[in-house]
Amino acid sequence: ALAEGDDEAARMLDESLDHMARGGLFDQLGGGFHRYATDQEWKIPHFEKMLYDNAHLLALYTRAHARTGNPEAERIVRATAAFLAREMTGEHGELWSAIDAETAGREGAFYVWTLGELTAVLGAEDAGFLAPIYGFSGAPFFEDDHFVLHLPDGLATQAERRHMTYDDLLAQIEPLRARLFETRAERPRPLTDDKVLTDWNGMAIHGLALAARHFDDADMLDQARRAASFVLEHLDSGEGPLRHSWRAGETRVDALLGDYVFFVQGLLTLHEADPEGDWLAAAMRLTDEQIERLADAKGGFFTSAQRDDVLVRSKEVLDGALPAANAIAALNLIELARLDGDARWRQHAETTLKAFAIFASRALDGAKMLTLAVHRFHAVFPGVETSDLDAPMTEAEETARDVVQARFGVGEIEEGDWIPFRLEVTLSPGWHVYAHQPGAPVPATRLEGQDATLRDVVYPGGDEKVLADSSTSVMVYSGTFEVVGRVRPTSEQAKLRLHYQACDDRRCLPVSGLEVELGRAMSS
């Protein structure tokens, strides 16, 4: 979303997508993405392939092509859709869950090549042509003697280097790639998890339908239709709630929130690509069922329905490997309101966003999809407020410095000009700051040097706190806590700055900081 109006965000996104598509993360012969890279150069993946990864990447590369027109984005989308159709689709259109990384206990055995294997298939001349393009012209880099095929440079760059067009280079590569692909297909295959999951199928339907509409592709549209029809027929029997999973004719577990929202999202996207179908009616019916089973009267949705064996019903707000289910729920409700015009959809969207507004303001890094849902709400319903976060602060809340005080002490200068220090921080009663947890979805307390180098910094562990209006727990500091370490000034203007966000049980103040001038501290 940011890439639409921010050149720097667009550059970062495009560069990431380019490296993902060129690296070993993408199966250069068979299409589709492996789960994640295991090295800094993104050449060696963990070779497992997951439906949900490929589903979301279908949508992402489609949107990238819509914004940039980059032919590589289209190539990636088409290759990924072809992979799903060929290797992860059952006879009735259902989409399977995953393909293992190992074959006979060996990681990546199905996908990797020795130079001898490549030369035997291609011949010396064609191998010499393809080697710099697919990254096997140097020394082997996987398990001593194997290569993972990848593109060291983009195909457009490689075509320019060879004084040919992008299309001409693709035409030369294709028959060689096909020979390698056919040879690889004869190898023992890794196992496939043929379980059918409602939420993951919904994600794939969304990606396929989005791509089908953008590229006007009948095959991808048919893929999306068949998968949606399978779920509606086999996991939505009408004799009970939607079901979570299906395998060999048996369904298991009543649908969770993720099943509803991701499948409904797929149905809504499919409706846009195929408005003559009954997809919108199915989306509305299932959303009504979702509201009946999972809605909280205070706003938002529980992950699971009320049951005797469920002690605590949680609400999913933070994005993880998948976008937060409550954020997708809000986006679906906004879309239903736009398409159907019924005010009840807007009302449910509004109460969902209001329920999590305070939490989202505290955890912007972890609640990105919820933030996007707020932006979408205002785009569709301009002028409607979704939170009271803009209410004026009291005088006591005007600055975080009113509730956070600090004392700073230093010891004797040690060898190498290192200075031991101790920072004692005291918070006003009722207030807390988030503990130092790198990677946490909230603004973690951290100390940094300005014209100063830090080492051996030790933060306390903190206390667990469940955030208001959410079942999410975080680690916090309250009362008084200490940070200790060593600092080496690099100029006379050296400072230490403590970054933190002070919160009470009602709201969080803006991220702020306290500065300590080392020269003044040492002379006092």
Side-chain angles (χ1 to χ4, degrees):
L2 287 176
E4 296 290 343
D6 187 314
D7 290 342
E8 180 62 12
R11 183 195 66 77
M12 294 167 65
L13 174 62
D14 293 341
E15 188 168 327
S16 297
L17 294 177
D18 175 61
H19 280 80
M20 290 167 63
R22 289 198 289 108
L25 195 66
F26 184 70
D27 181 354
Q28 303 295 338
L29 296 183
F33 286 85
H34 299 291
R35 196 168 188 187
Y36 53 83
T38 63
D39 67 316
Q40 291 184 342
E41 296 180 343
W42 293 15
K43 293 195 298 187
I44 303 172
H46 171 55
F47 289 91
E48 188 176 15
K49 287 182 175 181
M50 309 297 294
L51 176 60
Y52 69 82
D53 286 331
N54 286 281
H56 287 294
L57 289 167
L58 269 175
L60 187 55
Y61 278 91
T62 297
R63 291 194 175 99
H65 183 271
R67 182 173 52 81
T68 67
N70 184 351
E72 276 293 271
E74 179 176 359
R75 183 178 72 86
I76 297 304
V77 169
R78 293 190 180 280
T80 300
F83 152 71
L84 292 179
R86 184 183 61 247
E87 299 184 34
M88 295 193 73
T89 302
E91 62 176 321
H92 302 295
E94 71 275 21
L95 288 154
W96 298 328
S97 295
I99 298 176
D100 280 357
E102 299 179 351
T103 305
R106 184 174 156 224
E107 172 87 11
F110 182 74
Y111 301 99
V112 300
W113 299 82
T114 64
L115 182 60
E117 290 170 336
L118 291 163
T119 304
V121 175
L122 298 169
E125 182 177 349
D126 286 340
F129 168 75
L130 207 60
I133 298 174
Y134 275 106
F136 59 92
S137 58
F141 53 85
F142 180 73
E143 293 185 345
D144 299 327
D145 58 351
H146 284 79
F147 294 94
V148 179
L149 299 185
H150 65 285
L151 301 173
D153 292 299
L155 291 180
T157 300
Q158 303 217 40
E160 184 178 354
R161 190 178 296 151
R162 289 166 173 78
H163 305 289
M164 62 175 64
T165 68
Y166 171 85
D167 289 337
D168 286 341
L169 180 59
L170 279 181
Q172 290 197 21
I173 289 173
E174 180 53 32
L176 308 183
R177 190 202 63 78
R179 279 154 56 187
L180 290 173
F181 176 77
E182 290 166 4
T183 299
R184 191 183 80 173
E186 297 174 359
R187 296 174 174 176
R189 290 188 56 82
L191 296 176
T192 298
D193 180 353
D194 61 358
K195 179 170 67 269
V196 178
L197 297 175
T198 299
D199 51 350
W200 293 9
N201 269 253
M203 297 168 201
I205 293 163
H206 169 67
L208 288 166
L210 193 71
R213 186 182 184 202
H214 176 68
F215 295 111
D216 192 21
D217 189 286
D219 289 338
M220 285 190 276
L221 181 57
D222 186 57
Q223 282 181 268
R225 283 186 186 128
R226 294 181 69 214
S229 296
F230 182 91
V231 174
L232 289 171
E233 180 179 350
H234 295 277
L235 290 110
D236 181 36
S237 65
E239 298 178 355
L242 182 70
R243 302 285 278 176
H244 170 65
S245 68
W246 178 98
R247 186 176 185 277
E250 293 187 9
T251 61
R252 294 182 180 275
V253 185
D254 289 344
L256 305 173
L257 179 60
D259 297 305
Y260 284 106
V261 300
F262 287 113
F263 185 50
V264 166
Q265 184 183 48
L267 291 172
L268 291 173
T269 311
L270 184 53
H271 167 74
E272 293 286 314
D274 180 30
E276 299 303 317
D278 294 328
W279 316 117
L280 179 58
M284 290 192 290
R285 176 176 55 78
L286 287 170
T287 303
D288 276 330
E289 183 177 293
Q290 168 195 319
I291 292 169
E292 181 181 353
R293 293 187 64 233
L294 304 178
D296 182 0
K298 297 179 181 179
F301 296 89
F302 294 109
T303 298
S304 60
Q306 182 68 57
R307 290 165 47 115
D308 292 339
D309 58 351
V310 175
L311 300 180
V312 178
R313 300 174 75 194
S314 63
K315 295 180 184 177
E316 186 181 316
V317 186
L318 293 176
D319 302 319
L322 301 175
N326 267 285
I328 302 300
L331 287 168
N332 289 345
L333 290 162
I334 295 166
E335 189 67 5
L336 283 169
R338 186 184 70 83
L339 292 170
D340 181 49
D342 192 325
R344 66 194 175 99
W345 305 122
R346 183 191 65 77
Q347 290 165 359
H348 280 295
E350 185 176 349
T351 56
T352 297
L353 294 175
K354 282 185 175 181
F356 303 117
I358 294 177
F359 173 78
S361 73
R362 299 180 179 186
L364 291 176
D365 287 347
K368 295 183 178 69
M369 191 60 66
L370 197 65
T371 304
L372 290 175
V374 172
H375 284 293
R376 178 62 176 163
F377 184 93
H378 288 305
V380 176
F381 309 109
V384 178
E385 295 296 333
T386 54
S387 78
D388 59 358
L389 295 181
D390 295 328
M393 291 184 179
T394 65
E395 290 184 5
E397 295 171 333
E398 192 169 3
T399 171
R401 294 181 186 274
D402 292 337
V403 296
V404 179
Q405 303 294 325
R407 294 172 55 191
F408 186 78
V410 296
E412 297 294 327
I413 298 177
E414 300 177 345
E415 183 179 352
D417 294 331
W418 289 101
I419 304 168
F421 70 84
R422 179 182 301 274
L423 181 66
E424 182 184 274
V425 182
T426 301
L427 283 79
S428 297
W431 290 84
H432 64 266
V433 297
Y434 296 110
H436 181 77
Q437 290 181 287
V442 289
T445 297
R446 61 185 176 87
L447 192 65
E448 71 172 7
Q450 298 178 1
D451 293 323
T453 303
L454 293 172
R455 79 172 193 188
D456 304 330
V457 179
V458 178
Y459 299 87
D463 300 312
E464 187 174 15
K465 181 178 181 64
V466 177
L467 296 179
D469 297 322
S470 170
S471 62
T472 301
S473 64
V474 295
M475 303 302 291
V476 302
Y477 304 140
S478 57
T480 299
F481 66 93
E482 289 185 342
V483 180
V484 299
R486 286 174 169 77
V487 58
R488 182 169 61 188
T490 56
S491 81
E492 293 182 358
Q493 290 75 43
K495 300 178 182 179
L496 293 184
R497 181 175 176 84
L498 182 72
H499 296 268
Y500 60 87
Q501 184 175 36
C503 305
D504 62 11
D505 287 334
R506 188 169 65 90
R507 69 168 65 199
C508 284
L509 305 183
V511 174
S512 188
L514 288 172
E515 286 188 353
V516 176
E517 295 181 9
L518 286 177
R520 180 177 299 178
M522 292 174 63
S523 62
S524 61

